Amino acid sequence: MQIRKAVIPAAGLGTRFLPVTMSVPKELLPIVDRPLLQYVIAEAVEAGVEEVIIVTSSGKESISDYFQPHPIIEQRLTANGDDSLLAKVTEAGNLAKVSFVIQHEALGLGHAVLMAKDAVGDEPFVVILPDDIIAHSPGAISQMVQVSEKMDAGVIAVEA
Ligand code: UTP
C-alpha cells in the first residue's frame, strides 16, 4: 500500500535551543531562507507523501501561520513582477495538503504521534522529526519507503 501520509511532531518545548525557542518554535528555525519544517516536508513529498499532519501545541501558532497564504506579501511581489520570490513564498503551502492536530501537553514523542491517530486512519504512514535534516539524494524517507515496501515491514532510521 502506498504511503501517502506523514506525521510531523512539532509540539515539543524545544528546551535545548532556549532562549531562542521562547520566540521561535524550534521547527521554524531557519537553514538559509527556509524553516527546518519545510525541508522535511519537501523530503516527504519526494518520497510520495501527499498529506502532512503536523502535531503542534498552543503557543506555537506561528507554525500553522507559516502555511497560510500571505496576500499582502504576495500582492506586492506580483506587482513588482518578482516571480522567483513569489514562488518561494507560496512554496510551503503548495508542497502538500497540510493539516494540524494539537497535543495539549508535551507528554513525549510517542504521545505526540498518537494525537494524529484519527487523522492518519488505517493506513501506513511516516513519522519525521523536523529537527533532524538529512541532506542526501535520494532522501532518507524515499530510501526508507523503498525498504519498507521491499520487506513489507516498518522501518526505523537511527542516528549513530
Ligand atoms: P525533541 O525531543 O527533539 O524536541 O523531539 P523537544 O522536546 O521540543 O526538544 P528539547 O528536548 O526540549 O530540546 C523531537 C520532535 O518531537 C516533537 C518536537 O517538537 C520535535 O519536533 N515533540 C516532542 C512533540 O511533538 N511532543 C512532545 O511531547 C515532545
Side-chain angles (χ1 to χ4, degrees), residues 8-17 26-27 55-56 60 103 105-113 128-131:
I8 304 183
L13 301 177
T15 54
R16 283 168 294 169
F17 275 96
K26 177 168 75 173
E27 300 77 12
V55 184
T56 183
K60 294 180 100 171
Q103 183 189 30
E105 199 181 341
L107 293 177
L109 181 55
H111 183 262
V113 175
I128 315 172
L129 305 186
D131 55 351

Side-chain angles (χ1 to χ4, degrees), residues 36-104:
L36 292 174
L37 203 44
Q38 194 162 339
Y39 289 94
V40 295
I41 293 176
E43 186 187 330
V45 168
E46 181 212 43
V49 165
E50 297 163 3
E51 203 177 324
V52 174
I53 300 134
I54 299 177
V55 184
T56 183
S57 60
S58 63
K60 294 180 100 171
E61 289 77 15
S62 52
I63 293 181
S64 50
D65 288 350
Y66 183 72
F67 292 90
Q68 304 309 315
H70 292 79
I72 294 173
I73 295 175
E74 290 170 26
Q75 280 160 20
R76 173 66 62 88
L77 295 174
T78 305
N80 290 352
D82 197 340
D83 293 340
S84 67
L85 199 48
L86 183 62
K88 283 186 183 181
V89 163
T90 53
E91 184 184 284
N94 292 332
L95 281 171
K97 181 179 173 219
V98 178
S99 61
F100 300 89
V101 296
I102 299 288
Q103 183 189 30
H104 291 286

